[in-house]
């Protein structure tokens, strides 16, 4: 009985997901197929389970190695795997140096400032090489950084971000970029967890037409990290306008340094790339999990780079002559894999856009596409919904032609897919719906664009070499075509998969493998299916449709936020006794958090308190987590065992049926909250 009660306690996104019907197939054009990188059907056989793990040599061979590996996959420490063991490689070399002979005068990065009257910066491969070397010289000589050290980056969307990442990679220094929009507190937590002694930031950047004082956050993060035991030695500050300081926050003598001042000493410096073991960590990417503390997904050098390069080539269809624009922020995994490492490993020209896609108007994105002659476009449903809402007829006003478009981050509604296809892609561009996660390094499910038709709303089959399997709660396999949703897992490891959670192997095993592990002592990968935490349905044809998360994580605008993280942020307000977060459907963001609060006895509810609680969340996590509404309720609806019934709160927020609440400890409270909701008119 207790179990049944618990099963109904949480509102998962899957529960509120719309149930779509099967959609018709859409085929790629002959024109697209004729130029595509991957047109060979036999790839699926080459990457079958029988040919695992050797099939992944095909991706590794797209890279330049100092030394080939001795063993393709070492499972002796399962489920912590070592790919390409014994191999030596450098990521910076692969993304920069090796392209110089052929492409030194070609643009590597187009940096587009948000203000339209500012000039786009075109960084050639040669210039990228120079800037990466000079900055690596600073890291080495001014900070004494060496292979294996961690550095926290808190940078906005500027060319200096990939330059900083590649400079770290050149030395084997592990970078940990914190999304620029995250708060100082979030930055401090990541500095502490990763043990970073250096913080690299920028003075300011533009967002929605306003200059943001970003250096301010570095000062607060420095103090907060020190309090929590991690002393940052130096803060390196890039300037948004070189030579000019655009922040009001004073520089601290002896601690803060302008990169542009230090650079004067290192003009012309060249730093040899350090040959790194394939399994050495390349970077950490923090992500939300089911408990409060963010997890540092640790990604490897050789396996990760091989996987993002292979998938960029076959799924993104990147050729060196393409102009590729992924609108994500580099602070998320999509940006690491598919703005920086994948495209640059293939010598593409990649666009880095500073600002919001709809600034100053809904035509901005299409002007950028037109001006730079972008032909591969990559974005998320939340941006597509925003662009569709604000300017449904804008794309046709501009003269650009995409051959290829991607969607990533959350399920895309078929209606939105069709607008994307018809209006943005002008009926010419193929779409790939790529399903994957921070932990995965690269795509798990997607169509290969020249080989498989598109199905609006479905991500497509497992990628070559990725073998999904769906289990029900009892571990019974739900076969394709059964029409039932279950917990989607991946049967086998793959090179892009994270190696562990930084510093917490137990949590890694517990979170991702414990549930369906066949034998916890096993050293065979076959016994360790990887739990993605998503609910999915697999159609007869193998296409996977993702319904949403099964754990306490909500996906706002394609970004994972832990409900526990938001709730703990609310609890930093002294008046708050209990907090519960539920996802509410939102036209553009997909979902947004609604926050329910019970105050401590004797505390008065007021609009000011609600606002102050909301501010706590912005301060602790960032504006992205700001609740739609803070509901101060007399009490939380609870089960008899005292668990908050998030399912009921979720139903109220989403105006759906609250179901049977008679088994609750306090059913009358549901009526009171419903009444409150009605009166508010939202
Ligand atoms: C969701 C982003 C449906 C999913 C790369 C996953 C998607 C979470 C898709 C990971 C998609 C991502 N269709 N759902 N194409 N892509 N998701 O770690 O719930 O920020 O588990 O990685 O986003 O989010 P993360």
């Amino acid at each position: 009985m207790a179990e049944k009660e618990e099963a109904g306690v949480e509102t998962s996104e899957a529960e509120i997901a719309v149930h779509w019907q099967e959609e018709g197939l859409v085929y790629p054009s002959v024109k697209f197929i004729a130029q595509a990188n991957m047109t060979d059907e036999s790839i699926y056989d080459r990457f079958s389970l029988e040919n695992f793990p050797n099939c992944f040599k095909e991706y590794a061979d797209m890279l330049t190695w100092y030394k080939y590996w001795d063993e393709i996959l070492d499972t002796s420490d399962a489920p912590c795997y070592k790919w390409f063991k014994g191999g030596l490689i450098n990521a910076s070399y692969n993304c920069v140096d090796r392209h110089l002979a052929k492409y030194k005068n070609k643009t590597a990065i187009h940096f587009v400032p948000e203000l339209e009257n500012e000039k786009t910066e075109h960084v050639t491969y040669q210039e990228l090489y120079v800037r990466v070397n000079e900055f690596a010289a600073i890291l080495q000589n001014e900070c004494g950084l060496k292979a294996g050290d961690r550095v926290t980056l808190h940078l906005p969307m500027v060319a200096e971000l990939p330059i900083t990442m590649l400079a770290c990679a050149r030395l084997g220094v592990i970078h940990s970029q914190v999304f620029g929009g995250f708060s100082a507190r979030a930055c401090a937590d990541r500095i502490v967890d990763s043990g970073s002694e250096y913080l690299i930031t920028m003075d300011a950047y533009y967002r929605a037409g306003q200059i943001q004082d970003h250096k301010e956050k570095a000062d607060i993060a420095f103090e907060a990290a020190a309090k929590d035991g991690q002393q940052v030695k130096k803060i390196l500050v890039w300037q948004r306008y070189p030579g000019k300081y655009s922040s009001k926050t004073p520089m601290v003598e002896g601690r803060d340094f302008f990169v542009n001042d230090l650079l004067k000493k290192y003009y012309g410096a060249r730093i040899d790339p350090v040959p790194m073991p394939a399994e050495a960590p390349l970077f950490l990417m923090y992500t939300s999990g089911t408990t409060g503390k963010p997890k540092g997904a640790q990604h490897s050098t050789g396996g990760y780079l091989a996987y993002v390069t292979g998938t960029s080539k076959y799924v993104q269809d990147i050729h060196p002559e393409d102009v590729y624009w992924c609108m994500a922020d580099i602070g998320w995994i999509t940006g690491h894999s598919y703005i920086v490492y994948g495209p640059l490993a293939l010598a593409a020209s990649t666009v880095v856009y500073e600002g919001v896609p709809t600034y100053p108007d809904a035509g901005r994105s299409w002007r950028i596409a037109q001006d730079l002659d972008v032909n591969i476009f990559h974005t998320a449903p939340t941006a597509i919904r925003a662009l569709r809402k604000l300017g449904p007829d804008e794309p046709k006003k501009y003269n650009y032609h995409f051959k290829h478009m991607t969607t990533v981050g959350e399920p895309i509604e078929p209606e939105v897919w069709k607008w994307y296809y018809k209006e943005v892609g002008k009926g010419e561009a193929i779409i790939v719906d790529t399903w994957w996660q921070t932990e995965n390094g690269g795509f798990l499910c997607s169509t290969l664009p020249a080989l498989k038709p598109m199905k609006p709303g479905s991500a497509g089959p497992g990628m070559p070499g990725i073998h999904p399997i769906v289990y029900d709660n009892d571990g019974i396999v739900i076969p394709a075509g059964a029409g039932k949703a279950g917990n989607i897992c991946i049967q086998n490891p793959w090179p892009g998969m994270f190696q562990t959670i930084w510093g917490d192997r137990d949590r890694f095993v517990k979170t991702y493998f414990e549930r369906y592990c066949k034998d916890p002592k096993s050293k065979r990968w076959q016994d360790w299916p990887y739990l993605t935490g998503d609910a999915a349905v697999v159609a007869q044809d193998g296409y996977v449709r993702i319904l949403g998360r099964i754990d306490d994580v909500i996906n706002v605008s394609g970004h994972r936020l832990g409900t526990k993280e938001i709730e703990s942020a609310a609890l930093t307000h002294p008046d708050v006794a209990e907090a519960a977060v539920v996802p509410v459907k939102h036209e553009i963001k997909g979902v947004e958090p609604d926050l329910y609060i019970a105050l401590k006895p004797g505390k008065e509810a007021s609009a000011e308190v609600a606002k102050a609680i909301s501010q706590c969340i912005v301060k602790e996590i960032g504006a992205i987590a700001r609740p739609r509404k803070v509901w101060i309720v007399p009490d939380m609806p609870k089960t008899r065992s005292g668990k908050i019934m998030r399912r009921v709160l979720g139903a109220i927020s989403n105006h759906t049926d609250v179901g049977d609440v008679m088994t609750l400890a306090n059913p009358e409270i549901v009526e009171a909250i419903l009444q409150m909701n009605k009166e508010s008119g939202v």
Side-chain angles (χ1 to χ4, degrees), residues 30-49:
V30 172
K31 190 173 165 200
F32 178 82
I33 298 170
Q35 61 80 60
N37 279 328
M38 177 40 67
T39 52
D40 174 6
E41 288 270 1
S42 71
I43 183 166
Y44 287 103
D45 289 336
R46 287 206 303 283
F47 281 78
S48 65
L49 270 180

Side-chain angles (χ1 to χ4, degrees), residues 53-67:
N54 291 332
C55 51
F56 283 110
K57 178 174 183 295
E58 184 166 331
Y59 288 175
D61 278 341
M62 295 177 190
L63 302 175
T64 308
W65 295 78
Y66 296 107
K67 178 181 169 284

Side-chain angles (χ1 to χ4, degrees), residues 471-622:
Y471 292 113
D472 70 8
N473 283 337
D474 302 321
I476 310 288
V477 176
I478 302 177
K484 261 175 59 189
N487 302 325
I488 186 163
C489 297
I490 309 297
Q491 297 178 56
N492 59 296
W494 64 98
M497 177 179 171
F498 65 147
Q499 302 175 294
T500 185
I501 294 173
W502 177 257
D504 202 344
R505 188 187 195 275
D506 287 350
R507 191 174 174 201
F508 171 74
V509 175
K510 203 163 173 316
T511 311
Y512 301 98
F513 299 95
E514 191 174 66
R515 181 143 184 198
Y516 294 115
C517 177
K518 295 170 195 158
D519 169 12
K521 292 207 180 67
S522 174
K523 303 292 172 214
R524 297 170 63 238
W525 59 262
Q526 288 86 343
D527 293 323
W528 294 93
Y530 165 78
L531 176 75
T532 65
D534 279 346
V537 185
V538 182
Q540 191 67 52
D541 56 14
Y543 278 48
V544 170
R545 208 173 69 199
I546 299 296
L547 302 177
R549 305 284 305 162
I550 53 176
D551 58 19
D552 295 347
V553 174
I554 67 172
N555 191 327
V556 182
S557 301
H559 303 310
R560 273 157 69 184
L561 296 171
T563 48
K564 294 258 162 54
E565 274 174 90
I566 304 178
E567 289 165 4
S568 358
L571 285 163
T572 62
H573 189 287
D575 293 358
V576 173
E578 283 179 309
V581 166
V582 295
V584 199
K585 275 189 215 157
H586 182 272
E587 198 187 342
I588 292 182
K589 299 180 189 170
V591 299
E592 49 179 359
D594 239 11
L595 178 64
Y596 286 85
I597 294 289
L599 294 176
K600 289 180 183 159
K603 299 291 174 191
E604 286 287 315
S606 68
E608 286 72 54
V609 175
K611 202 166 160 213
I613 296 170
S614 187
Q615 262 324 101
C616 288
I617 289 159
V618 175
K619 179 166 162 265
E620 295 290 313
I621 304 170

Side-chain angles (χ1 to χ4, degrees), residues 13 287 332-334 407-412 433-439 445 459 532-534 546-549 555 558-560:
E13 285 192 70
T287 188
W332 309 112
I333 191 71
T334 300
T407 167
V408 60
E410 60 182 306
I412 183 167
D433 181 343
T434 57
W435 167 65
W436 60 297
Q437 315 174 293
T438 302
E439 295 87 339
C445 285
T532 65
D534 279 346
I546 299 296
L547 302 177
R549 305 284 305 162
N555 191 327
H559 303 310
R560 273 157 69 184

Side-chain angles (χ1 to χ4, degrees), residues 433-455:
D433 181 343
T434 57
W435 167 65
W436 60 297
Q437 315 174 293
T438 302
E439 295 87 339
N440 309 149
F443 308 139
L444 291 181
C445 285
S446 166
T447 49
L448 285 179
L451 288 173
K452 297 265 181 199
M454 305 161 241
K455 193 195 277 182

